[in-house]
Amino acid sequence: MEQAKTVVEMRNITKRFPGIVANDSVNFKLRKGEIHALLGENGAGKSTLMNVLFGLYQPEEGEIFVNGQQVVIDGPNKAIKLGIGMVHQHFKLVHPFTVTENIILGSEPRKWMGLAVDKKQAYEKVNQLSKQYGLNVDPYAKIDEISVGMQQRVEILKTLYRGADILIFDEPTAVLTPQEIGELLVIMRNLVGQGKSIVLITHKLKEIMAIADSVTIVRRGKVIDSLPVAGTNPNQLAEKMVGREVSLKLDKKVAVLGEPILEVDNLVVKGRQGLNALNGTSFVLRRGEILGIAGVEGNGQSELIEALTGLRPVSSGSIKVAGADVVGEKPRAISEAGISLIPEDRHKHGLVLDFPVRDNMVLETYYQPQFNKRGFLDYEAIGKHAERLVKDFDVRTPSIMTDARALSGGNQQKAIIAREVDKNPEVLIAAQPTRGLDVGAIEFIHKRLVEQRNMGKAVLLVSYELDEIMQLSDRIAVIYEGRIVGEVKPSETNDQELGLMMTDYKQKQGGAGNEQAD
Amino acid sequence: GAKNNNGGGAASPSASPSESPSASPTASESASPSETVDGKGFKFAMVTDVGGVNDKSFNQSAWEGLKTLETETGASVKYQESKEATNYLTNLNKFVREDYNLTWGIGFLLGDAVKDAASKNPDAHLAIIDSVVEAPNVASITFAENEGSFLVGVVAGLMTKSNKIGFVGGIDIPVIKRFELGFVAGVAAVNPDAKVEINYTGAFDKADLGKAAAASLYNAGADIIFHAAGGTGNGVFNEAKERNKSAAADKKVWVIGVDKDQSLEFGDDVTLTSMLKRVDKAVYSVSRDMIEGKFPAGQVTTLGLKDDAVGLPETSKTNVPQDVLDKVEEYKQKIVSGEITVPTAQ
Amino acid sequence: MDAATIGHMLNTAFVFSTALILAALGGILSERSGVVNIGLEGLMTAGAFAAAVAAYKAQEAGYGGASPWIGVIAGAIFGVLFALIHAVATITFRADQVVSGIVINFIAGGSTLYLVKLLFEGAGETTLVNEVFHKVKIPVLSDIPIIGDGLFNAYPTTYLAIILVGAIYYMLYRTAFGLRLRSVGEHPSAADTVGIKVLRMRYTAVLLSGVLAGIGGATIAMTTTGSFSHNTISGQGFIALAAVIFGKWNPLGAMGAALFFGFAQSINNVLQLFDFTSHIPSEFIYMLPYVLTILVLVGAVGRSRAPGALGEPYYQGKR
Amino acid sequence: MNKLIKVVTKDSALVPFVAILLGLLVGAIIMLIGGYDPILAYRSLLETVFGNRYDFGETLTAITPVLFTGLAVAFAFRTGLFNIGAEGQYIMGMTGATVIGVTVHLPWYLHAPLAVIVGALVGGLWGMIAGYLKAARGVNEVITTIMLNWIALHLANYIVRRFLLEPGKGRSYMVDDTASATIDWLSRFMDDARMHWGTAFALLGVIFFYYFLWRTKQGFELRVVGSNPDAANYAGISVNKGVIKAMFISGALAGLAGVFQVLGVFHNQVISAGHTGHGFDGIAVALLGGNNPLGVLLGAILFGVLSYGAAGMSFGADVPPEIIRIVIGSVIFFVAAPGIIRWLLKRISGKKRKEEAI
Ligand SMILES: Nc1ncnc2c1ncn2[C@@H]1O[C@H](COP(=O)(O)OP(=O)(O)OP(=O)(O)O)[C@@H](O)[C@H]1O
Ligand SMILES: Nc1ncnc2c1ncn2[C@@H]1O[C@H](COP(=O)(O)OP(=O)(O)OP(=O)(O)O)[C@@H](O)[C@H]1O
Ligand SMILES: [Mg+2]
Ligand SMILES: [Mg+2]
């Protein structure tokens, strides 16, 4: 990148929250037409810095220059005026609204002397922008009805609609499928091509290497380094970020396969809309292996998990755990039969955020004899149990009496994993276990999953991240429209082939309705 | 154990169904003493039901009776309002324990509380309106509402043009039933062809229900409605007023008020007459008896037509023609003489 | 049942429903902006009180037929005053919205009665106002059988309520203001990031709910009671709240729910006119509206979906 | 509701204390505006409550029903349910006790317990209707409980009028003495105040509330359901069962309030024109107490003292007792919005801290 003009400069930004300095005298520069990556551990202060730039937070100290002019950004309105747009880590979309309504919200085209919203004009504008940047969204669809990837495009359109030249993406790929990630990267290049500048927050080193021009690394609120991507490599970045050496490669022993423990045969399950989400899914999971379920989101993964754990009724087919059919059993019975679940949505399904860590640790086992004394809960035993898990799994919490809400995402996830692993299940189902986590946390969690497998347990890994699937699995089953359409070994395949199977399996030879194991 | 009565809290019925707000004939006019009595040093008190002392109904009427007593005799008087049913007994006890000469419980809801206070304090004197308390130190005052209602029934029976008459009651309880039965009997006595439609609203405090009830009765052809429904009756008046605003002269509808002269409150373009119930008079005269040493302890006094404790107000002549009033007087004599027995509720 | 009876029942239903519709509209605005409004009862109480007092004073001062309108305006103002307490507590100080609503009910009930006693020399009820609203027949339309009497022979406030249903529906779903208001109740931080002033929006909505519920209370004082006492408002606010939920936070739905309720009430009185009903204990007839409401809810498919951020206080940086 | 739960636990004990003072202050200001003497008024209030044994005993009797309904509402809150129907459950509990008290004749050691149990069951079942409709049909419990309050009122009136009526009186027959829950020796000691076992049962209710929710498996389940129903499902806890169970227990607690009003205070049931308000007051008490059992107890005491004392206030200082509702409302308000108190305290102390104020 030649010496382009600086569009944003943040100087000595300090932002404090009670008890923590989220940004400690941070300097940051964004040049026109570049993609600038912001890298750091969970809680390093990346989002905070960008929230300051977008006017959501007011810094205690520091100055901001936009296009060479010093500015005070006292709210998103001001940021928008300055041409800054942000695609947030957690989308800011109003779900019952349509795509167009979300995009125009706050700057609606009017008619009838400003009395009514001019919907027609709005739809046209959205259509036109969508075409111009190759975003391809349906302006009439409700947010509820569109995929996460589409939702993200709506977020992008929102910024473009407001005429943003400076775009901030906060962990945009954490929630996307590999295909969507690919498409997003194209869109980003496209945007830069049309003169926009982009800040990209991500934990994925591969993406930085693939698309960013420069990278700034933050650790504990401080800038560690800022350098062009061209002159660095993933290992170096990871080390700068965590402050120690991180092994990006997982070392795994060869799997020692045992007998089949989970046998799913011809499973048919209805989805939320009443249509069949699983259409005769069959696979077998053996002791001592990690089976990765690869697939594009929405191909029945959630329904599969829910059916396996008894949360969703099964229309037909069988699920056998150690030979016993568990179809029709209650979630608790299935859990006792030896299935554990690390749910996809840790806030919604995994934890009671307003309960202390201690109580969350026994969310599924509180009724068992070891936690009860004479008909009452034995908090002493529960407390000891929780202390042990917190220690064993390195859950960083001030105390076991701290509410789960106060833990960082990574530590919340560790708490859940501790709880599920400790149940000593025959089958551990891990759904998106590392979504949104930094490399350090990912490393820890991956190690734990492999450890389970090495102990002869079976792990079912459901993930939309190909990297994770490829790295962890001993075997990969591809799910498409509610069926397992093929099985491959990670060593014998690559991203391209998997990607093809996930989207259009017919091109893959003889994969349809595959039932044989291994 | 202690006995009391648990009526509704914020919205309990008054046994006496009117809450017509207005200056009714003051006690001094009607309950004027024949000779002066010196009541200095005597202390009288009353406890209201949850309606409160300014309910523009029987609590207020009773308080007027006591105030007249104060002016006339120099006795000291005081009241205490009850916020909820549990307060009835505690409020009565408040006075009893301070050695009041006579403590009144106003309304049938206080019956059990008066009984309890009386049995725990045999030296105290108490009196109760609208209920019978069997205790040697309690005077019970009830009214023959059925007799007065009979007379307004006579008025309605003679004056209806449509031969359809309405009755709107609050809650179906014995006191209100007395109004209904007397009224129906009065209508039947003078006009056997007339039909009385009965509508109980289930509440004493819901003007909207009263209004709706009146609307359906008038719509069904009734031209006169007698209400015994307290605040619910306000809705009856409002509906009638409204109809009369736009109706032709021969389509006018009427309401017969209750307890007090409600024409003073709602005007005589809708109020045909009212069924008076002279609580003030009763409170005044029994209290006065106490000063004179004639307290009817342990007795039940039923005040009816013969005592002029129920009946029609003077203002009735505005809307009720003289021949009808003559008929009313005729029936009054028959009832007083015992020639006619008016049915009553059990 | 003949046509006249049905028309009449409709008419009565509207009398009952008017206040419910108005208060429910207020509830919808508040809750659509994300603020639970369980204080409708109190806001209606404040409105009814103010209307009864103001109309009485206006009548005394010789304003004649304008008095009930003055009452309605006073009702709106008082509604706003109490709504302001709710707004400050829940929006600025982020008090629990349910608690604040209950507080409004408490304070409105207590303070209006206290004021009545101060203003009317200790009386528990305001002096009856003679200048109240009267039904207005709309020419021609009111001659249509059934619905003529049912719909076009109503109080001015009923017409006002129906117009407001249309207006608020339009506002919510067609105007930018409505879009923003709904977005604030669904996803305040989304609204915030596009520059909508969330708190200001919520204040506006809550204060408007005070206006509407206040007017709702005022209509009761100005059409059915003519005065204010401790039981002028007894439960209507809660029924209006039920209508908000029953009507799925939609003005038309809430109007339907309020009318349904009014209709069930008017069936009461009509039923008592028939001989066969004399065998039915009157208590069962009184229960009817409430039982019907539950039955309809049970029969109605689909759970109603509350605004996404209902009940959640908002502050920037909240996650 | 989470915020609510934390209000009491998180902030220092100072907040409720200051809230009460501020509430009384608001009342005093309003009294001054109305031309009354607040000092005299509050003194009369306190004298009424603590002045003699009789009134003190009656204050305890006044606290009892709102303690029950407060616990009922708080219990439902803890399970994520807003039970506006304590009023109806109260009425049904009362009716159940009256029916047994009047129509059944048994020795005392069977009669009174049977009346209590039946009353609690009937109240519980009445609450369970709303719970069932929510669980099975997804009907919002706020609406159903509002409607059920009215249905209960009329149903109870019907039962009393049709089956239990004492001729000539607008109420049921007196319940048998064998069903009475009065404590005669205590009443005598308290100068004839109506002391009854309900007060003791209500205190047991406080302990039950705590032990059940925080110490038992079922209580744990209910709290999970209340705090995060999705997580409950994932943890194998049935949300629907929890909802029904919670509404049953809540209804039974409210029902007990009615039971003891009949068996301990009134000994009969009247045909009632309207609601007593004890159920609605229970909401206020629950909120005052931050849905904590101990808080609810303190809230009920405050509520009972202020309400009972209000009568004395109007007796001694001629202040309209309505003022007390303003005071109670203000106290709840300040408890619920501790931000206001902190803001006020900061204004008063004049200190300005750099952090966000609230
Ligand atoms: N609203 C807030 N209130 C208090 N503290 C906050 C808030 N937001 C962030 N923090 C603190 O600031 C620190 C930086 O948070 P930030 O969200 O910026 O991290 P991040 O680098 O974006 O992490 P991640 O990779 O997980 O998204 C966090 O550790 C947290 O303690
Ligand atoms: N509102 C808040 N008030 C105080 N501290 C907060 C708040 N929100 C977050 N924190 C703090 O922020 C830290 C973690 O922040 P953060 O949520 O960014 O983690 P994360 O890894 O990004 O989680 P997620 O995966 O959900 O994004 C924790 O230490 C937590 O205590
Ligand atoms: Mg972040
Ligand atoms: Mg994060």
Side-chain angles (χ1 to χ4, degrees), chain B residues 240-273:
Chain B
K241 261 193 187 171
E242 180 147 342
R243 285 176 182 253
N244 287 353
K245 272 268 146 85
S246 48
D250 60 330
K251 286 274 189 188
K252 266 197 182 310
V253 295
W254 293 106
V255 183
I256 298 176
V258 79
D259 281 0
K260 310 188 86 174
D261 183 354
Q262 293 200 289
S263 70
L264 299 172
E265 168 82 11
F266 291 98
D268 43 26
D269 54 331
V270 287
T271 317
L272 184 57
T273 178

Side-chain angles (χ1 to χ4, degrees), chain B residues 2-9 11 13 78 80 83-84 86 89-90 93 95 97 112 120 132 171-172 174 346, chain D residues 54 58 94 161 171 191-192 194 261 265-268 270-276 278 308 311 314-315 322:
Chain B
K3 307 281 145 97
N4 201 339
N5 200 330
N6 57 339
K78 195 162 174 71
Q80 178 70 42
K83 279 289 131 192
E84 54 158 319
T86 41
L89 181 62
T90 54
N93 274 335
F95 294 115
R97 281 153 191 269
D112 292 328
K120 292 267 167 59
V132 175
I171 296 184
D172 191 351
Q346 219 11 271
Chain D
Y54 176 78
E58 283 289 342
M94 176 178 263
R161 198 169 59 83
R171 59 158 169 81
D191 219 355
D192 287 341
R194 292 164 293 182
Q261 289 300 95
V265 179
F266 299 124
H267 300 274
N268 66 55
V270 295
I271 294 177
S272 178
H275 291 124
T276 60
H278 287 320
Y308 188 79
S314 61
F315 193 80
E322 285 77 25

Side-chain angles (χ1 to χ4, degrees), chain A residues 42 89 346-347 406 408-410, chain C residues 319:
Chain A
N42 290 130
Q89 186 173 355
R346 49 182 171 262
H347 287 179
S408 73
Chain C
R319 304 118 59 79

Side-chain angles (χ1 to χ4, degrees), chain D residues 3 46 78 106 115 150 155 157 181 227 248 289-290 293 309 316 321 352:
Chain D
K3 182 111 185 304
L46 289 178
R78 283 280 173 188
L106 288 168
W150 292 100
L155 184 62
N157 280 350
S227 201
F248 177 81
K352 268 208 162 178

Side-chain angles (χ1 to χ4, degrees), chain A residues 185-424:
Chain A
L185 297 188
V186 173
I187 291 167
M188 282 170 54
R189 278 199 218 290
N190 207 343
L191 289 167
V192 176
Q194 302 207 23
K196 314 274 179 197
S197 318
I198 293 178
V199 182
L200 170 67
I201 301 178
T202 183
H203 293 295
K204 296 181 186 165
L205 303 173
K206 217 169 93 179
E207 282 161 14
I208 295 179
M209 300 311 295
I211 194 170
D213 303 301
S214 0
V215 55
T216 296
I217 299 132
V218 252
R219 194 196 307 155
R220 306 224 171 122
K222 287 202 175 76
V223 171
I224 299 299
D225 202 354
S226 188
L227 66 168
V229 168
T232 182
N233 62 58
N235 281 317
Q236 191 192 356
L237 286 179
E239 200 180 319
K240 279 187 194 288
M241 169 178 153
V242 185
R244 64 179 161 91
E245 209 172 315
V246 189
S247 73
L248 293 176
K249 201 90 202 131
L250 194 69
D251 32 34
K252 270 193 319 184
K253 294 186 295 196
V254 183
V256 185
L257 287 188
E259 74 271 24
I261 181 75
L262 176 69
E263 294 160 277
V264 174
D265 189 34
N266 221 354
L267 201 60
V268 179
V269 170
K270 283 197 171 28
R272 264 174 207 97
Q273 263 70 43
L275 301 172
N276 279 352
L278 292 187
N279 257 319
T281 307
S282 304
F283 62 88
V284 172
L285 177 61
R286 290 169 183 278
R287 287 187 192 278
E289 74 167 340
I290 298 179
L291 172 63
I293 302 279
V296 176
E297 189 174 3
N299 274 289
Q301 291 97 323
S302 308
E303 287 82 0
L304 174 63
I305 293 166
E306 287 174 0
L308 289 179
T309 49
L311 291 163
R312 183 171 284 275
V314 169
S315 306
S316 67
S318 74
I319 303 168
K320 290 206 179 95
V321 180
D325 198 342
V326 297
V327 166
E329 298 281 357
K330 294 240 151 59
R332 172 152 305 164
I334 292 178
S335 153
E336 285 177 344
I339 293 193
S340 269
L341 170 65
I342 299 161
E344 192 175 339
D345 186 335
R346 49 182 171 262
H347 287 179
K348 196 163 172 219
H349 297 140
L351 295 168
V352 181
L353 292 174
D354 291 314
F355 278 17
V357 171
R358 179 191 69 182
D359 293 9
N360 273 294
M361 286 302 192
V362 293
L363 208 52
E364 290 153 330
T365 46
Y366 63 90
Y367 60 90
Q368 291 174 355
Q370 74 263 33
F371 300 129
N372 286 273
K373 214 159 62 189
R374 279 178 265 110
F376 289 107
L377 292 176
D378 181 356
Y379 279 119
E380 206 176 311
I382 294 173
K384 277 202 188 116
H385 174 74
E387 292 283 9
R388 181 172 62 77
L389 292 185
V390 162
K391 202 162 137 267
D392 287 359
F393 286 80
D394 189 30
V395 181
R396 306 227 171 109
T397 171
S399 98
I400 58 164
M401 292 313 289
T402 306
D403 281 356
R405 183 181 295 284
L407 267 55
S408 73
N411 284 302
Q412 288 173 346
Q413 191 70 354
K414 283 190 210 165
I416 294 174
I417 288 170
R419 178 180 78 206
E420 298 303 328
V421 166
D422 189 72
K423 270 166 69 191
N424 197 18

Side-chain angles (χ1 to χ4, degrees), chain C residues 169-222:
Chain C
Y169 183 87
Y170 184 86
M171 185 203 87
L172 276 179
Y173 296 104
R174 296 282 179 274
T175 69
F177 178 79
L179 190 70
R180 292 172 183 198
L181 189 134
R182 285 184 293 135
S183 74
V184 159
E186 289 289 347
H187 198 329
S189 75
D192 196 356
T193 51
V194 294
I196 294 169
K197 299 258 183 288
V198 175
L199 302 192
R200 194 186 294 172
M201 210 68 203
R202 287 190 168 179
Y203 261 94
T204 311
V206 172
L207 295 187
L208 279 177
S209 89
V211 171
L212 289 162
I215 295 178
T219 60
I220 294 177
M222 295 294 97

Side-chain angles (χ1 to χ4, degrees), chain B residues 197-256:
Chain B
E197 296 282 2
I198 312 292
N199 189 323
Y200 278 93
T201 55
F204 286 105
D205 60 355
K206 293 227 176 297
D208 50 354
L209 293 181
K211 189 171 162 68
S216 20
L217 289 170
Y218 287 135
N219 266 16
D223 55 353
I224 300 172
I225 294 177
F226 176 36
H227 90 87
T232 301
N234 289 4
V236 177
F237 277 101
N238 282 333
E239 179 67 23
K241 261 193 187 171
E242 180 147 342
R243 285 176 182 253
N244 287 353
K245 272 268 146 85
S246 48
D250 60 330
K251 286 274 189 188
K252 266 197 182 310
V253 295
W254 293 106
V255 183
I256 298 176

